[in-house]
Structures are given as structure tokens and as C-alpha cells.
Amino acid sequence: MSNYKEMVVEVDGLVKQFITSEFTTVAAVNGISFKLPKEKMIAIKGPSGCGKTTLLNLIGALDKPTTGSILVDGIKVSELYGVNEAEYRLRKVGFVFQYYYLIPSLTALENVMLPMDLRGIKRRIQEAGARQLLERVGIDASHQARRPTRLSGGEQQRVAIARALANGPAVILADEPTGNLDSKTGTRIVELLYSLTTKEGRTIIVATHDADIAARADMVLEMKDGKLVAQSNGKAEKQRQS
């Protein structure tokens, strides 16, 4: 790993255990430690069930660790509760999912405005900001008034990325963001995510099976059976160093 001076995510001794229906304990994440640099794209790869999604959920405060600590942009995530936890999810991290999770009754524009609305931002500022974000990810004005069912899968994922950016988070967490897309559209989404690191200074953490994402990443973490089994620079970082 490169000797990065600035880290945005630091995980130490992280464990997440679940009780199965047979009353046995399973560690979905089992003693993981790592540090992730700012303004890079990090791919977390490994077979299904290895703990990738659980790890993202812990970093995003969608779940609580059994033991261990998580520090994101100076915030002790593992110690957050209640209002502070909700505020962290609203301001510090953005989420992009395989199934988009756009609200079907809202237009593309309204979906992107929603996180800003939850912060109490004035509506005219919400709308201007949402339009700018949608244009940035390639959704033009003619499509911004459409509801999700009238958008293609690639367009829905672009809207989801714009929504994730709405409150200017330091970290974007993406769980299999190309899993429901054809290869051509998936490649465009990968390039869009990568551009957020180079052009906007975001840190993108992607849980994926997609070899293209792993190849494009600055860093690759490999998981197996809840453990971190390998950590390396990706092609993008190696090219920078060459």
C-alpha cells in the first residue's frame, strides 16, 4: 500500500456477528482493519456472502458493529446513535445501490432534491442544485421530470448517483452499482464513479463482482469468509506511480 498522508476511512478490529436461525453465531465481518485514502476509488471484491455488503453497511452506519471501531472523515461512526447517526448518514456518506432504490412516486429531479429537503434547504436552492447534479451525470432537462419507471436502468443509476452527491458527502458507498446493467452501460457508470474522485475529490468505495471496477480502482481490498485476505494498489494507482 502507498504511504498516503491523508486517510478518510480508518477501520480497526471490526467484527459483525449475526445469530442464525439455528442459534449459532456467524461473523459476516471478522476482525478487519484498514485505512483508505481520500479522493480515490476503492474496490472491495470477493465471492457472494464474503461480507462486502455488511462492511459497507457498517461504514455507512446502516448497521452497528459487534466490536471494533470505524472512523470516517474524523467521525467515530461506531459510537453514533440516534440523531447524530442520522445526521452522519445525511451529510457524510452517500449511498448507491444495485437496485437504485429511487422513490417511484417522485420524478428524477425530486429524488435528487429529497436529501437536501431533509436538511431543510430552501426549495429553490434544492431545485437548482438537483438540476446541476443531474446534468453533471448526464440526465438532461427532458428526462428530469420523468419518474423512475420511465427511465432506463443506466439512467436510474445516474439519478441514484446524483442523489448520493446531493449533500456533498466525503464518501460514496456503492454496492454492486453495475449489477443490473448491461456491460456497455456498466462501463459508463464505472467511468462516472471514477470521475468523481478525479474531478470532485470524493472517495468512492465500491463492493463489486465487476472486474472492470476492480481494474479501474486505485486500491483493491479482497475479502473471503468475512476476512480481509489481500490489499493492493489497482491499475489506476500503479499507472500514476509509473
Side-chain angles (χ1 to χ4, degrees), residues 10-140:
E10 299 186 36
V11 168
D12 185 31
L14 195 63
V15 175
K16 177 60 182 180
Q17 296 177 335
F18 294 97
I19 306 297
T20 70
S21 57
E22 289 80 25
F23 300 102
T24 59
T25 300
V26 175
V29 171
N30 193 2
I32 285 180
S33 299
F34 57 76
K35 296 181 180 181
L36 303 181
K38 293 181 177 180
E39 302 178 13
K40 303 289 183 181
M41 187 163 84
I42 295 97
I44 303 174
K45 69 175 189 176
S48 296
C50 72
K52 301 188 301 293
T53 295
T54 300
L55 179 58
L56 286 192
N57 288 345
L58 292 170
I59 295 171
L62 295 176
D63 204 350
K64 285 287 185 189
T66 304
T67 59
S69 66
I70 306 166
L71 190 70
V72 175
D73 204 29
I75 294 177
K76 295 180 179 179
V77 179
S78 45
E79 298 178 10
L80 295 176
Y81 291 91
V83 173
N84 291 333
E85 190 174 53
E87 189 72 3
Y88 165 79
R89 288 194 294 263
L90 191 60
R91 292 176 179 268
K92 285 292 184 181
V93 291
F95 298 93
V96 179
F97 302 99
Q98 179 177 352
Y99 297 101
Y100 325 129
Y101 293 130
L102 300 174
I103 297 176
S105 60
L106 301 181
T107 65
L109 183 67
E110 291 166 341
N111 267 281
V112 179
M113 290 169 62
L114 184 59
M116 293 183 272
D117 189 50
L118 294 173
R119 282 185 57 191
I121 295 173
K122 292 182 179 179
R123 187 168 180 83
R124 61 181 176 80
I125 298 175
Q126 291 178 35
E127 185 170 343
R131 288 192 186 282
Q132 186 179 52
L133 285 169
L134 285 167
E135 288 169 5
R136 194 179 302 170
V137 300
I139 303 296
D140 61 33

Side-chain angles (χ1 to χ4, degrees), residues 134-234:
L134 285 167
E135 288 169 5
R136 194 179 302 170
V137 300
I139 303 296
D140 61 33
S142 65
H143 286 62
Q144 292 176 11
R146 294 185 179 182
R147 289 185 170 82
T149 54
R150 295 188 59 217
L151 298 172
S152 69
E155 288 170 335
Q156 289 185 64
Q157 195 60 289
R158 286 173 178 270
V159 173
I161 292 170
R163 181 184 58 186
L165 292 167
N167 286 331
V171 177
I172 303 291
L173 303 173
D175 191 6
E176 298 288 358
T178 61
N180 276 348
L181 305 174
D182 62 77
S183 59
K184 184 176 180 180
T185 305
T187 298
R188 290 174 179 169
I189 293 298
V190 172
E191 291 302 319
L192 174 57
L193 288 170
Y194 189 76
S195 73
L196 297 177
T197 68
T198 57
K199 296 180 181 179
E200 302 203 9
R202 311 292 177 195
T203 299
I204 313 295
I205 305 175
V206 188
T208 184
H209 289 96
D210 191 330
D212 288 341
I213 292 181
R216 198 75 175 89
D218 297 291
M219 181 185 295
V220 178
L221 306 181
E222 188 168 351
M223 292 184 66
K224 184 177 181 181
D225 298 329
K227 294 180 179 292
L228 182 62
V229 296
Q231 181 172 327
S232 61
N233 288 335

